[in-house]
Amino acid sequence: MTDHHQSTRGKPRVALVTCTALPDLDPDDRLVLDPLAARGVAAEAVVWDDPAVDWSRYDLAVLRSPWDYALRRDEFVAWARTVPALVNPADVVAWNTDKRYLAELSAAGVPTVPTAWVEAGADWTPPADTGEYVIKPAVSAGSQDTGRYDLADPEHRELAVAHVRRLSAAGRVTMVQPYLGAVDTAGETALLFLAGPDGLPFSHAIRKGPMLTGPDRGVAALYKEERIEARTATPEQLDTAEKTLAVVPRGTERLLYARVDLIPGPDGSPVLVELELTEPSLFVGYADGAPDRLAAAIDTHLARRS
């Protein structure tokens, strides 16, 4: 981490929070640096678990790419509670880093992918039907430890059981979901919302192509590579996203950003895959003006704290 405090005296200081593997931020996140500088904001990449960092010296700490937290979630959540000016806030981090929040959203009426939960240490028997299923841990990032299994294939059934057993033995809660075939054609739509003076307005949307091609074989990197392109959100997608955000605990007024990931369900209507409020890729490089809108959102939160 480079200490720019002497050269930026008098300017608002913002930490863009990352991890050791990405000390200079993800390339998409770097696109906000120039718009922030143009607004008189001094921003720098800061590694979340660097013990030398004094977080009180920053006017705002913005979670961006701390993507190594999944196997250290308790440590990460505890760290978040020590940062004075964190966005999104620490209680949101605690709620959103465990995907069991999906059960809460489903109970509140949000259309979600049906999910079976296997508690840590528990056994799991595959369902009798022979459809395709996705298995992943409730705490994960970057599609790590995630696999797709065709239960009509005896080998896949064995691998699915082994996958759950591996996660369970490691003390992790497992999610088992039917694979939605529309992701192979329509793809996944991510709708991005960035803070403004009057709330959390919609900014832009992107399409992610299918990523899961078979059983989990492990990921050497922080995340699986994604195929991304710009997309125009439909009114129905926007409506589902707004309904999702409407039931976020304590509201969305405190949020700097939100990402709502949707896939068409069996009847074609959008269903929620994930609500990303902690450290989502924001894909600002795929929409005109999005880097400046993110800078404006950061400026809005700085103004609220001044």
Side-chain angles (χ1 to χ4, degrees):
M1 181 191 74
T2 302
D3 188 344
H4 298 304
H5 293 142
Q6 294 303 314
S7 62
T8 60
R9 187 169 294 161
K11 296 181 179 181
R13 291 193 288 259
V14 172
L16 299 175
V17 182
T18 186
C19 61
T20 302
L22 292 168
D24 297 317
L25 300 170
D26 182 75
D28 190 70
D29 288 326
R30 288 199 291 271
L31 296 176
V32 78
L33 293 173
D34 285 347
L36 283 173
R39 292 171 176 271
V41 176
E44 60 184 288
V46 187
V47 174
W48 74 272
D49 57 352
D50 181 347
V53 176
D54 178 1
W55 295 99
S56 68
R57 299 184 70 180
Y58 293 99
D59 298 289
L60 200 66
V62 180
L63 287 166
R64 289 313 319 123
S65 48
W67 293 332
D68 60 357
Y69 76 85
L71 296 179
R72 307 158 59 194
R73 176 180 174 267
D74 289 348
E75 179 186 347
F76 183 67
V77 169
W79 163 82
R81 291 181 177 131
T82 70
V83 181
L86 187 70
V87 284
N88 287 332
D91 63 294
V92 174
V93 171
W95 180 75
N96 190 241
T97 49
D98 186 326
K99 293 180 177 61
R100 283 178 286 187
Y101 70 78
L102 289 168
E104 295 181 38
L105 296 182
S106 179
V110 176
T112 61
V113 180
T115 305
W117 306 91
V118 184
E119 295 300 319
D123 293 326
W124 175 72
T125 301
D129 67 66
T130 55
E132 287 190 287
Y133 283 81
V134 173
I135 292 174
K136 59 185 175 182
V139 178
S140 66
S143 296
Q144 290 186 319
D145 300 307
T146 300
R148 171 182 172 182
Y149 300 89
D150 181 356
L151 297 187
D153 182 329
E155 181 185 5
H156 273 224
R157 291 183 78 88
E158 291 182 10
L159 289 171
V161 171
H163 188 169
V164 176
R165 185 183 299 124
R166 184 170 67 250
L167 294 174
S168 184
R172 305 175 76 181
V173 175
T174 302
M175 306 168 61
V176 181
Q177 300 174 317
Y179 185 78
L180 298 182
V183 74
D184 293 329
T185 52
E188 183 175 323
T189 301
L191 288 81
L192 287 305
F193 295 78
L194 300 173
D198 300 317
L200 193 70
F202 173 70
S203 171
H204 59 285
I206 59 94
R207 176 191 184 273
K208 290 197 284 185
M211 296 173 59
L212 300 179
T213 57
D216 176 43
R217 304 294 186 185
V219 180
L222 279 175
Y223 52 88
K224 291 183 179 179
E225 292 295 329
E226 299 173 321
R227 287 174 285 171
I228 307 298
E229 58 188 0
R231 167 167 276 179
T232 300
T234 67
E236 192 174 18
Q237 288 169 338
L238 287 165
D239 182 63
T240 300
E242 294 287 358
K243 287 178 178 176
T244 301
L245 294 172
V247 295
V248 170
R250 297 182 61 188
T252 58
E253 293 78 11
R254 303 176 302 142
L255 303 182
L256 174 66
Y257 48 66
R259 197 182 88 197
V260 183
D261 295 343
L262 305 173
I263 293 177
D267 66 354
S269 60
V271 297
L272 180 70
V273 181
E274 289 187 19
L275 170 61
E276 299 271 13
L277 303 181
T278 302
E279 32 57 58
S281 294
L282 297 175
F283 305 113
V284 294
Y286 293 86
D288 290 343
D292 193 63
R293 288 194 292 277
L294 177 56
I298 291 171
D299 218 7
T300 293
H301 274 260
L302 284 168
R304 291 175 184 174
R305 293 178 180 274
S306 63

